[in-house]
Amino acid sequence: MATQFTNESLSSLTADWLVLGLAESAPLSASITELDQTLGGLLSRLIESEDFTGKAGTTTTLLGITEIKTPRIILAGLGTAESISLASLEKTMKTAARSISSKPDTSIVVALPEVEKSSLTTEQFAKVTSASMIVGAVGQDLYRKETARFPFQQITIAGSGDAAECQQAVDRGTILGESINLAREMVNRHAGDIFPVSFADRVVEVAKSTGLEAEILDENQLKQEKMGSMLAVAQGSDQPARLAILKYQGADASAPTLALVGKGVTFDSGGLSLKPSDGMKTMKCDMGGAAAVLGAMNAIAQLKLPVNVIGYMGLVENMVNGSSYKLGDVLTARNGKTIEVLNTDAEGRLVLADVLSFAVDRGAANIIDLATLTGACVVALGEEVTGVFANNAEWSQVVQDAAQASGEDVWELPMFPQFADQLKSDVADLKNVGTRWGGAITAAKFLENFVSETPWVHLDIAGPAFASANAPHREGGGTGCMVKTLVEVAAQYGSTK
């Protein structure tokens, strides 16, 4: 897919579609006014008759256009100038992309929105527009004979901004969009395609294509590393566990290292605490944290950020056989702590426990982990908000600021000491579950036992990582959530550490 920026007039460009993002009750920009005149005032008439209002998320399609070189136009409402945010702009552009990506080999021209009184910069408009066109045109229908959505063959973003700066922003957006789609694809592929070994193979492929350094630990190496907690989860499956590691060194060797840790349960049956069918049918998504780490590392490498980052992806399948770990088992984690298992469906935290400990011992200066960890977080925050938990207020704020700068919604929950009381065990150092109350917090308090004093943020993405159905602005299935936030953290980390 080719994506480029141009200063040429909209009427001079040739494509299958022209996408115009227009604000509600706002004057037309100079470039749109010029286009409107070429179209004989068509746009003005539509606005005056309120056949197009510019309200956020609305679209109007115009076909059979003969006055310019693009025969089809889609008008996309941006909302009022004051209300335009990164998130709302992304929704609008994805809505437009989904509306016009039903045919293969489609080329598009997108007019870079120029809105007076908007708080967004030209570069932000360019980056979000580029990424949204790439993400919005890719569906979840990987296995359908007749696909419903096709990536655009050519994307041209046209505007009046500085050509070099806008092209850089477009390029960043392209890399982000493709990296989000990588994470989405990993989630959307079924568990027969994506299992620990095949996920690790894909990690190696990404490393080769981006120049990252890959390291894969097999089950024997995991035993040598004393990852008893993670290996217990894997022992009920015919698929062996893997720890996939991607290393990026964009700064001096003496610079601090940011660690990104992802839960990679490639399928979660619940183990002996077996899920019902309705709870199991989407559990190919339980490696959404590892997929986000893979997507972020792909982007960080291509963007050549001046930072040292290592991505850790703990990969297991939680299945049922005669070797399955059992309720009442006591596991010994890598850092020596013992864990009484009272629910085999609370397996993600057992995987992360060992991987977090490993990242600490590898010298991580700061850690972010991501996991589709608890239904309790979805109950607390809904399906579109990521829960934030931390042992360090300053580091937590860095991550939250990066999320806001990326247009991704997060909310911090408390880590009060009393929640750890729920994890006290009579037979081991701690239990793997507490009561049903505050379950997202007790899960985070469990993980806190394995990060030592390292500044750490846990992101519970159980809600936003997987969409149960299509929406006008979004495909169902994997969303690639938090890839943008991780990349933004890395960009800021490299400039401040």
Side-chain angles (χ1 to χ4, degrees):
M1 181 188 301
T3 308
Q4 63 182 10
F5 178 83
T6 182
N7 289 134
E8 294 182 39
S9 67
L10 297 172
S11 58
S12 69
L13 296 168
T14 301
D16 296 309
W17 283 91
L18 172 60
V19 181
L20 302 178
L22 303 179
E24 181 181 358
S25 303
L28 299 179
S29 66
S31 61
I32 302 297
T33 298
E34 179 185 345
L35 175 66
D36 185 37
Q37 293 172 350
T38 304
L39 295 172
L42 174 61
L43 303 180
S44 297
R45 291 195 299 274
L46 288 170
I47 294 171
E48 290 170 4
S49 65
E50 297 186 351
D51 289 321
F52 177 74
T53 63
K55 290 183 178 179
T58 60
T59 59
T60 297
T61 301
L62 309 175
L63 304 176
I65 304 296
T66 59
E67 294 88 350
I68 59 176
K69 295 180 179 180
T70 51
R72 307 172 189 88
I73 298 176
I74 183 166
L75 307 178
L78 298 171
T80 61
E82 296 80 5
S83 69
I84 298 173
S85 64
L86 292 171
S88 70
L89 175 63
E90 180 179 342
K91 284 186 176 181
T92 294
M93 290 303 171
K94 284 183 180 178
T95 299
R98 293 189 74 247
S99 300
I100 61 177
S101 55
S102 59
K103 296 180 180 179
D105 303 323
T106 298
S107 61
I108 65 169
V109 171
V110 187
L112 188 64
E114 299 176 15
V115 184
E116 294 182 5
K117 299 181 181 180
S118 171
S119 61
L120 301 185
T121 66
T122 300
E123 288 73 24
Q124 286 176 314
F125 273 111
K127 182 173 73 171
V128 172
T129 298
S130 174
S132 299
M133 290 296 124
I134 290 170
V135 174
V138 172
Q140 62 171 324
D141 47 4
L142 297 169
Y143 303 103
R144 291 181 57 181
K145 183 177 181 181
E146 296 182 4
T147 56
R149 205 157 296 345
F150 298 88
F152 297 121
Q153 182 182 50
Q154 174 72 46
I155 301 172
T156 301
I157 297 176
S160 58
D162 180 271
E165 292 180 357
C166 286
Q167 184 63 60
Q168 288 181 352
V170 166
D171 290 342
R172 290 195 295 271
T174 299
I175 290 170
L176 282 174
E178 292 173 346
S179 299
I180 290 168
N181 280 345
L182 170 60
R184 291 175 60 210
E185 179 198 344
M186 297 297 288
V187 171
N188 286 335
R189 289 197 174 278
H190 66 82
D193 276 354
I194 299 297
F195 44 91
V197 172
S198 67
F199 193 117
D201 290 342
R202 190 64 179 274
V203 168
V204 173
E205 291 177 10
V206 170
K208 290 179 179 178
S209 67
T210 59
L212 290 163
E213 179 184 335
E215 180 183 2
I216 309 297
L217 273 60
D218 63 21
E219 62 270 34
N220 292 323
Q221 292 167 303
L222 294 174
K223 289 177 183 177
Q224 292 173 6
E225 290 290 342
K226 299 181 179 179
M227 293 192 172
S229 181
M230 176 178 172
L231 286 169
V233 178
Q235 70 191 35
S237 172
D238 293 338
Q239 300 291 345
R242 293 289 185 269
L243 175 58
I245 304 166
L246 283 174
K247 182 178 180 180
Y248 171 76
Q249 186 169 326
D252 292 339
S254 60
T257 297
L258 169 64
L260 307 178
V261 176
K263 170 189 171 184
V265 179
T266 58
F267 188 79
D268 180 20
S269 71
L272 290 177
S273 304
L274 194 68
K275 294 178 182 287
S277 293
D278 282 348
M280 200 188 302
K281 62 187 180 183
T282 61
M283 282 299 101
K284 65 179 184 180
C285 81
D286 214 19
M287 32 64 72
V293 171
L294 179 60
M297 294 301 297
N298 181 73
I300 290 166
Q302 292 188 58
L303 291 168
K304 297 179 171 56
L305 299 181
V307 60
N308 295 334
V309 188
I310 301 180
Y312 300 90
M313 291 150 276
L315 308 170
V316 302
E317 224 184 31
N318 188 25
M319 297 291 286
V320 181
N321 65 20
S323 299
S324 296
Y325 77 122
K326 305 169 185 67
L327 281 74
D329 282 357
V330 175
L331 314 178
T332 302
R334 187 176 186 278
N335 69 350
K337 291 201 174 185
T338 55
I339 305 164
E340 181 186 11
V341 176
L342 295 183
N343 188 333
T344 64
D345 196 23
E347 86 298 330
R349 65 198 70 183
L350 299 176
V351 175
L352 288 173
D354 281 341
V355 182
L356 287 168
S357 174
F358 187 85
V360 169
D361 289 346
R362 282 278 180 108
N366 297 79
I367 299 176
I368 303 171
D369 83 67
L370 303 92
T372 48
L373 204 65
T374 66
C377 197
V378 187
V379 172
L381 299 179
E383 294 184 326
E384 298 187 1
V385 180
T386 292
V388 177
F389 310 80
N391 66 351
N392 181 288
E394 182 179 356
W395 180 231
S396 177
Q397 194 60 55
V398 168
V399 176
Q400 292 181 67
D401 289 347
Q404 182 177 10
S406 302
E408 299 196 274
D409 292 329
V410 302
W411 194 260
E412 186 167 20
L413 280 80
M415 289 282 280
F416 298 137
Q418 59 264 35
F419 283 97
D421 293 341
Q422 295 186 31
L423 300 173
K424 292 180 179 178
S425 167
D426 293 331
V427 300
D429 293 324
L430 67 162
K431 301 182 293 189
N432 76 323
V433 291
T435 69
R436 62 179 299 188
W437 312 118
I441 301 173
T442 55
K445 293 299 288 185
F446 177 90
L447 296 177
E448 190 177 22
N449 285 274
F450 303 94
V451 296
S452 187
E453 301 301 317
T454 306
W456 156 79
V457 165
H458 162 58
L459 300 176
D460 193 329
I461 59 173
F466 192 87
S468 58
N470 290 343
H473 68 281
R474 180 198 64 207
E475 284 286 312
T479 64
C481 79
M482 304 313 290
V483 169
K484 292 180 296 181
T485 294
L486 294 182
V487 173
E488 181 65 23
V489 170
Q492 298 300 322
Y493 195 87
S495 64
T496 58
K497 290 291 179 177

